[in-house]
Amino acid sequence: MSAVGKTPKHDIFLKHEQDIAQLVAKGDRKATRALYGDTICRMTSVCSRYVTDPDAVNDVLQDSYMSIFTTINKFQYKGEGSLLAWMTRIVVHKSVDWVKREMRRGAVELPGDIPEVIDDDTADDCDLSADTIHSIIRQMPAGYRAVFNMYVLDGMSHKQIAAELGIAENSSASQLARAKAWLKNEVKKYLSEKH
């Protein structure tokens, strides 16, 4: 299932979350296609926060949707948005698994150096678009990016991050500080290049 070029074509998911989950659990192909079509853009965005290689994004998403479709019978409806939240957790988990595999291979490291931060206030009053910020975050070293996303965007605690990535809790906290310093530096560089 390629994530490239897909746009939502259905409104079924957005209107009948509980019903579509039940239909997918029963193997209804139309409902399965609708669920995929209505969520692929958002799930691609979630996955892309962790995984920057387009082929790897597609692999992680394929694995994620296989898991979603095969375990949707375990989904428990808890109100509007709960299916999307459940799917997002699966994509985050599969993305973090990819990061962990890359760390074991040595392809992703948790950098130890705190980047030198430019000492000016150009970023304090900036108005960057969400796309620009997302683009800058995607350039972040993978180890920083994983911890940053897990903590800031996915609301995980340092204890949870440490357990997920197999690192010490204080390593998670220091990686977050380094990620924030890196991000601040890159935003300032971006703004200075624009002016």
Side-chain angles (χ1 to χ4, degrees), residues 80-151:
E80 185 177 336
S82 60
L83 179 58
L84 191 59
W86 178 78
M87 292 174 68
T88 300
R89 282 192 303 274
I90 290 173
V91 173
V92 167
H93 180 72
K94 296 292 184 181
S95 300
V96 169
D97 283 349
W98 180 88
V99 170
K100 288 192 292 191
R101 282 192 303 274
E102 293 298 296
M103 286 173 67
R104 284 193 297 272
R105 281 187 339 116
V108 169
E109 296 179 12
L110 292 176
D113 299 332
I114 297 177
E116 184 178 325
V117 178
I118 300 168
D119 290 328
D120 66 33
D121 295 323
T122 56
D124 292 343
D125 297 317
C126 73
D127 187 23
L128 295 176
S129 71
D131 287 343
T132 300
I133 293 170
H134 181 70
S135 176
I136 293 171
I137 290 171
R138 284 179 51 82
Q139 296 170 31
M140 189 180 285
Y144 290 167
R145 188 174 62 246
V147 172
F148 180 84
N149 284 319
M150 294 168 85
Y151 187 86

Side-chain angles (χ1 to χ4, degrees), residues 118 122 126-129 131-133 135-136 139 183-195:
I118 300 168
T122 56
C126 73
D127 187 23
L128 295 176
S129 71
D131 287 343
T132 300
I133 293 170
S135 176
I136 293 171
Q139 296 170 31
L183 184 59
K184 182 176 181 181
N185 192 44
E186 292 303 307
V187 166
K188 287 180 178 183
K189 275 196 234 177
Y190 174 85
L191 291 172
S192 69
E193 290 169 4
K194 295 297 259 183
H195 291 81

Side-chain angles (χ1 to χ4, degrees), residues 163-174:
E164 281 288 328
L165 295 178
I167 60 175
E169 202 171 323
N170 62 350
S171 292
S172 174
S174 65

